[in-house]
Amino acid sequence: MHDSIRREIAEALILLGIELQKFSKWAKSLDLFTEVLNIFRSSIGGDYTQDITRVCRHIDSCALRNIILVQRGSCGILCLKHVNALCSKKKESGVALELKSHPGYGIVRMDDKFNFTGNKIMSWDYIFLGVGLKESSLVVNYDGRSMQSLPSGHKLAVHAGVLAESMPVAIMSEVQFHNPDNKETNEKSKKKLCAGSMLTVDQDGSIYPSMAPHLRLGIAEYPNLYLVDRGSPNRAVFRYFVHLQSMQKYNSETQPNEAPGTKLELDSHPGMGIVGYKLIHNPIVNKGQLGALRLGPAEEALSGRFNDENHLVFTGMYNGLAMTTGFAQNLKCGKMVYASTCDDSWFYDFKVNVDGTISPT
């Protein structure tokens, strides 16, 4: 194929990728930009250095990092650009959450569709928030107590109302209680969740939970691990997958997870691996521990091994926690993968494929 035709195809894919970003289809957009990069790199005639640089910027814009709670003095604190407009009582429409702390970027939805979570008492839908291009910034109204995304009206909140460092921030639907007669328990749970949506905007543009002023909304250090299409050029290929595949599976009921496990370093992303962060104690959802799974330096990579139930169980800092997507209905392209204490209602079944990837069974 002639280079001029390849360039036309590449430019069309770039435009499509940019358009998909406006709809929070970040995983699909990243796949398109990666295909464009491969086109320019395989072109024979001409100098494509500037084109490659341009595409790499687009790729970087898809590497979303979670918005989480950080300590007040942290370097990753987010500061809004349009503070006066947001806090004005005379505003007639919503205000975009563009960032002053990260020029050209804003607070965006990390997914185009809502996820489901909950327990036997209650449930709700949510979408985690991240930092992405300002053109995709969330538009909200702020009444001095909480932020409502437009046009849906979903509230911006610390997920599950857990006001602790490293807890992710999301937009959440109203909570559905499964037993209306259990008024005392429902009221206690509702009060806790409401605490997560009570936010204060400081004069410097930073945002903090009104009931935890020592914390601020900030950005995670590394991008998240999430599900991609089987043929995605961005799928994670594990360096030691043969060892991970051949390790004897331990009995989850009779044997403790004491073996060192296999290091989760990646061949597809040289020098990188699957890394963890801080454990989150979540008293509402799962009543156990949660841990983020992110793409970070290989030297910090987690280790793990499979048990006889096809659960990838981690060792080390996440010892005993298993890879999950939460509920099975969250098994879709772009959905985040993380580690958690095993829960009967959540999905944990994964397998190692012959190409070195890992996928849900």
Side-chain angles (χ1 to χ4, degrees):
M1 187 183 296
H2 195 275
D3 275 3
S4 62
I5 298 177
R6 294 164 68 90
R7 176 180 284 278
E8 287 183 15
I9 293 173
E11 294 295 341
L13 291 176
I14 289 174
L15 291 176
L16 179 57
I18 292 172
E19 195 64 25
L20 287 175
Q21 287 182 325
K22 296 176 183 178
F23 298 95
S24 303
K25 294 181 180 291
W26 304 100
K28 294 286 188 182
S29 180
L30 178 59
D31 284 352
L32 290 176
F33 293 144
T34 305
E35 291 291 351
V36 173
L37 182 62
N38 292 334
I39 289 174
F40 284 140
R41 282 178 171 172
S42 62
S43 296
I44 300 172
D47 182 6
Y48 291 91
T49 304
Q50 290 185 344
D51 294 300
I52 290 173
T53 302
R54 176 165 57 102
V55 175
C56 285
R57 290 199 193 100
H58 285 301
I59 289 175
D60 288 342
S61 72
C62 296
L64 299 191
R65 291 184 283 165
N66 257 122
I67 293 177
I68 60 175
L69 290 182
V70 300
Q71 289 292 331
R72 183 176 179 177
S74 299
C75 59
I77 290 175
L78 302 178
C79 293
L80 298 175
K81 183 176 182 179
H82 307 299
V83 179
N84 292 337
L86 184 66
C87 298
S88 173
K89 295 180 179 180
K90 297 181 180 180
K91 60 179 178 292
E92 297 180 357
S93 59
V95 176
L97 296 182
E98 189 178 342
L99 295 171
K100 176 177 63 177
S101 54
H102 298 70
Y105 290 85
I107 294 177
V108 304
R109 297 167 23 147
M110 295 188 73
D111 201 351
D112 62 322
K113 295 180 181 178
F114 280 86
N115 301 296
F116 171 84
T117 194
N119 53 29
K120 294 179 181 179
I121 300 172
M122 58 190 175
S123 61
W124 64 87
D125 297 323
Y126 70 94
I127 295 178
F128 286 129
L129 300 180
V131 173
L133 294 177
K134 67 178 183 179
E135 288 79 9
S136 302
S137 294
L138 204 65
V139 176
V140 302
N141 270 333
Y142 179 57
D143 59 10
R145 288 173 55 85
S146 64
M147 293 185 191
Q148 300 82 35
S149 67
L150 298 178
S152 67
H154 292 96
K155 285 190 176 181
L156 192 147
V158 181
H159 197 231
V162 181
L163 304 181
E165 186 180 358
S166 80
M167 198 65 190
V169 177
I171 51 173
M172 294 172 50
S173 68
E174 290 292 330
V175 178
Q176 301 295 319
F177 291 100
H178 306 315
N179 186 1
D181 296 330
N182 198 354
K183 294 183 179 180
E184 185 176 347
T185 302
N186 292 349
E187 193 59 35
K188 182 185 285 189
S189 299
K190 187 175 182 179
K191 186 176 180 181
K192 186 171 186 63
L193 287 169
C194 285
S197 65
M198 295 172 61
L199 301 172
T200 299
V201 179
D202 214 340
Q203 291 181 345
D204 63 357
S206 61
I207 309 170
Y208 62 88
S210 302
M211 298 181 68
H214 63 290
L215 299 173
R216 291 292 187 275
L217 266 62
I219 186 171
E221 188 175 5
Y222 303 124
N224 288 90
L225 185 68
Y226 57 85
L227 297 177
V228 298
D229 288 331
R230 182 179 180 179
S232 169
N234 296 294
R235 60 192 184 277
V237 178
F238 291 82
R239 171 163 293 184
Y240 306 115
F241 76 94
V242 174
H243 188 257
L244 185 63
Q245 202 171 32
S246 62
M247 281 187 73
Q248 183 177 0
K249 295 181 178 181
Y250 73 95
N251 188 300
S252 57
E253 293 185 1
T254 61
Q255 293 177 268
N257 186 33
E258 295 177 348
T262 301
K263 189 176 183 182
L264 301 178
E265 188 176 342
L266 300 177
D267 250 354
S268 53
H269 300 69
M272 309 295 278
I274 307 304
V275 303
Y277 189 52
K278 295 184 178 181
L279 284 173
I280 300 170
H281 296 273
N282 194 334
I284 294 180
V285 181
N286 204 28
K287 292 190 176 179
Q289 293 180 313
L290 300 172
L293 295 178
R294 298 186 175 128
L295 185 67
E299 57 269 22
E300 298 177 20
L302 297 167
S303 294
R305 60 182 298 207
F306 280 92
N307 66 14
D308 56 357
E309 297 181 293
N310 295 321
H311 298 176
L312 178 54
V313 182
F314 299 100
T315 58
M317 68 177 292
Y318 281 178
N319 190 50
L321 273 63
M323 180 182 286
T324 183
T325 58
F327 287 90
Q329 52 260 59
N330 295 335
L331 288 171
K332 300 172 185 175
C333 177
K335 302 300 182 183
M336 277 177 48
V337 179
Y338 46 97
S340 85
T341 309
C342 286
D343 184 293
D344 291 340
S345 61
W346 286 17
F347 183 90
Y348 296 90
D349 297 349
F350 290 86
K351 66 175 182 179
V352 180
N353 301 307
V354 293
D355 61 355
T357 60
I358 293 177
S359 63
T361 56

